[in-house]
Amino acid sequence: MSGIFIGRVFISRDMASVALGADDVARAFAEAGCEVVRTGSRGLFSIEPLVEVETDEGRIGYGPVGPDDVAAVLDGTHASRLGAVETLPFFARQQRFTFARCGVTDPLRLSDYAAHGGWQGLERARALVPQQVVDMVKASGLRGRGGAGFPTGIKWQTVLDAPAGDKYIVCNADEGDSGTFADRMLMEGDPYCLIEGMAIAAHAVGASHGYIYIRSEYPYCIATMRAAIEASAHVVAPFTLEVREGAGAYVCGEETALLDSIEGKRGQVRAKPPLPALQGLFGQPTVINNVLSLAAVPFILAEGAEAYAAVGFGRSRGTMPVQLAGNVRHGGLYEVGFGITLGELVNEIGGGTASGRPVRAVQVGGPLGAYFPPSMFHLPFDYEAFAQAGGLIGHAGITVFDDSVDMAHMARFAMEFCAAESCGKCTPCRIGSTRGMEIMDRIIGARDAAPVVAPVQLGEAGGGYLDTALYSRSPDRIDVSVESQTGLLRDLADTMKFGSLCALGGFTPYPVLSALDYFPEDFGGTTPIKEAAE
């Protein structure tokens, strides 16, 4: 007879799994006398809490599982039997370079990490001179996984060439984008992978110390990384590491504001030049990379730059851990090579909307990313393709909306978010976002109310959306029509895009303009501008 339970039980301790009841399930199996191994999450949250049991057939998954299901799982009769998890359609098509160990190993057991290929990249790196390591990263085509996709090898080369007594490696783990969770998943599920990547970077550029800057909203992640740093200190020595906890500011995801925060200052964007690669943390040359960029490095060193570069599309090489969230049936993390289309990710992998209603829009790249309608689902997941379409991949979070969404309100939210999170250093971001909220209020008011005939007095019907103080100063010069206000919104967006000091103000126009271009009916218009132009 096959499928008989013969060993351990594997249950995720990823915080998304815990939120779905994984701790209670683990406790129930432990009380039944099972040896429970807490792993990271496999990344498909619709089957969490996922339980995998060791059998004579290998690891067999069941999910979702509740605390009362212990007996049925152990005797193999539970209705949610999934079989070998890696053979499920959601996982079978993935190319797991970075997340290969997540959900498989005990995150804090050094022997487990080593048994699954850990430290091979660091060992190979330390057998090479720094320039050879940098050349391998260049040859791999690895680009930054948290923003505009700047080539990682070029950044490392700049720091390697910079003359300095002290150099630093800084990991940007301030994962503040809505609908993103890959950084947290990796740090909770495979922390040594990030530590190994940072140690390789340190050897490549001559750095002696590193910082991992983690947002304060990730307390379990912070505790896991600190435990992993302590446990692996002897492996990565003489390189040393420490965690710095953020204070809840979205703008600290911008690299120079992050540096100020680590230094104990208020997180504000620095003017560039000088570049952080030359004068970064404490005025010294600094490598600043995202979690996913650094976590990709061990694979490149262990398997070779050619193996990494062989996957991808155009100038976007390797894999990208895509995060599916929002109103989507199969939310989770899906690691795949660049080039897969947006439609495949949303409809085939994500399964469409959780509500069962038609998909109307998806936002890619967090709260500063563009909104795309289904007519743009042919777009390949590629940095250049998205930039040409007026969007950005960013941290690769995809948030799905069904046909009940009001895109004018979503555009207003983008301005409101920027106003709340702006560090205040530059005028286009600080003032422009507030003016943008006011314009959006006028547009939505004009759309939802009867036309207003000037002059409008405070308290008159239909006047609620006007800035009455501004109007009272020049009532004959304020055109509050939708056409005029949307034109003003476009002018403001251009000012913010090209005048802001950092990407917070510079990228806020992306969701606003894309909503205006692709969904003009929500702003009182008729024909989508993008389709009309085509």
Side-chain angles (χ1 to χ4, degrees):
M1 181 178 178
S2 62
I4 300 173
F5 174 63
I6 59 172
R8 298 167 294 175
V9 176
F10 301 85
I11 302 172
S12 170
R13 62 175 181 179
D14 178 273
M15 285 311 297
S17 307
V18 170
L20 292 168
D23 280 352
D24 292 337
V25 173
R27 191 176 301 111
F29 276 91
E31 290 172 353
C34 298
E35 180 186 352
V36 177
V37 178
R38 303 304 297 271
T39 67
S41 174
R42 293 273 193 172
L44 177 57
F45 298 122
S46 60
I47 62 173
E48 293 286 1
L50 170 67
V51 174
E52 292 181 77
V53 298
E54 261 182 346
T55 74
D56 54 357
E57 289 182 338
R59 281 169 65 161
I60 301 298
Y62 297 82
V65 171
D68 298 330
D69 299 331
V70 174
V73 169
L74 295 181
D75 66 19
T77 62
H78 195 281
S80 67
R81 188 181 194 275
L82 303 171
V85 175
E86 59 271 12
T87 65
L88 296 176
F90 185 86
F91 298 102
R93 289 180 55 190
Q94 293 193 43
Q95 296 165 291
R96 288 214 159 187
F97 289 2
T98 304
F99 280 79
R101 285 176 291 266
C102 265
V104 177
T105 62
D106 180 337
L108 291 175
R109 186 175 297 175
L110 281 169
S111 59
D112 224 0
Y113 183 69
H116 288 80
W119 309 122
Q120 291 180 9
L122 179 59
E123 184 179 353
R124 183 176 183 189
R126 287 180 169 175
L128 302 173
V129 299
Q131 186 61 61
Q132 289 175 307
V133 178
V134 172
D135 288 343
M136 284 188 69
V137 175
K138 287 181 185 176
S140 73
L142 178 64
R143 297 167 68 175
R145 295 293 192 255
F150 188 81
T152 302
I154 300 299
K155 184 179 289 188
W156 287 19
Q157 185 71 64
T158 305
V159 178
L160 173 61
D161 293 341
D166 294 312
K167 296 179 182 180
Y168 296 100
I169 307 296
V170 172
C171 175
N172 182 350
D174 190 62
E175 189 174 46
D177 285 351
S178 51
T180 60
F181 42 85
D183 290 359
R184 180 193 56 73
M185 269 189 62
L186 186 117
M187 288 187 288
E188 291 179 2
D190 193 12
Y192 296 127
C193 179
L194 174 59
I195 292 171
E196 183 178 5
M198 294 184 71
I200 292 170
H203 173 73
V205 304
S208 59
H209 191 68
Y211 294 88
I212 305 174
Y213 186 90
I214 306 177
R215 64 193 311 234
S216 59
E217 294 88 341
Y218 285 172
Y220 183 75
C221 182
I222 291 169
T224 302
M225 284 307 311
R226 283 179 171 152
I229 288 170
E230 182 178 358
S232 62
H234 65 287
V235 180
V236 300
F239 180 59
T240 55
L241 268 169
E242 64 180 284
V243 169
R244 286 292 175 93
E245 186 175 341
Y250 179 80
V251 76
C252 286
E254 194 279 333
E255 60 181 15
T256 61
L258 182 151
L259 294 179
D260 270 11
S261 184
I262 291 177
E263 292 176 2
K265 305 171 186 173
R266 181 186 180 207
Q268 280 194 310
V269 176
R270 301 178 184 179
K272 293 183 283 191
L275 297 172
L278 298 174
Q279 293 182 39
L281 189 65
F282 306 118
Q284 300 300 310
T286 305
V287 168
I288 308 175
N289 284 134
N290 175 268
V291 170
L292 301 182
S293 306
L294 290 162
V297 171
F299 177 94
I300 293 170
L301 267 293
E303 303 296 331
E306 298 79 10
Y308 193 82
V311 174
F313 180 87
R315 289 180 52 217
S316 303
R317 310 314 303 170
T319 63
M320 188 69 185
V322 179
Q323 298 125 92
L324 297 167
N327 190 342
V328 65
R329 184 170 299 167
H330 302 305
L333 180 135
Y334 193 88
E335 184 177 359
V336 68
F338 286 97
I340 188 172
T341 66
L342 186 55
E344 287 178 283
L345 288 167
V346 174
N347 293 322
E348 295 182 24
I349 308 304
T353 65
S355 64
R357 300 173 66 96
V359 175
R360 188 176 187 218
V362 296
Q363 186 178 32
V364 183
L368 307 181
Y371 291 100
F372 291 114
S375 62
M376 296 297 290
F377 278 10
H378 62 280
L379 272 179
F381 215 70
D382 164 68
Y383 287 106
E384 281 66 41
F386 268 69
Q388 189 174 6
L392 62 142
I393 287 178
H395 198 45
I398 298 178
T399 306
V400 181
F401 301 86
D402 69 15
D403 61 356
S404 65
V405 68
D406 185 327
M407 297 308 298
H409 282 285
M410 299 310 298
R412 188 195 185 281
F413 171 75
M415 287 293 187
E416 182 181 10
F417 181 84
C418 183
E421 297 294 343
S422 175
C423 76
K425 191 164 186 176
C426 71
T427 302
C429 178
R430 182 182 71 250
I431 303 299
S433 53
T434 300
R435 296 289 86 84
M437 290 169 57
E438 294 167 356
I439 294 170
M440 283 306 311
D441 284 342
R442 291 197 287 270
I443 290 173
I444 293 170
R447 181 198 67 180
D448 296 344
V452 177
V453 178
V456 176
Q457 299 298 321
L458 182 63
E460 283 191 12
Y465 60 88
L466 287 174
D467 181 338
T468 52
L470 173 65
Y471 189 87
S472 65
R473 291 197 294 271
S474 52
D476 58 332
R477 288 184 288 170
I478 302 297
D479 183 352
V480 295
S481 66
V482 170
E483 293 78 10
S484 173
Q485 292 301 306
T486 54
L488 182 60
L489 184 63
R490 289 185 180 277
D491 286 345
L492 176 64
D494 281 345
T495 299
M496 293 180 67
K497 184 175 182 179
F498 299 108
S500 295
L501 193 57
C502 82
L504 176 55
F507 283 172
T508 294
Y510 281 63
V512 176
L513 293 177
S514 60
L516 193 57
D517 287 345
Y518 291 117
F519 308 95
E521 62 274 18
D522 286 11
F523 295 79
T526 54
T527 306
I529 291 174
K530 291 287 186 180
E531 291 184 9
E534 295 170 359

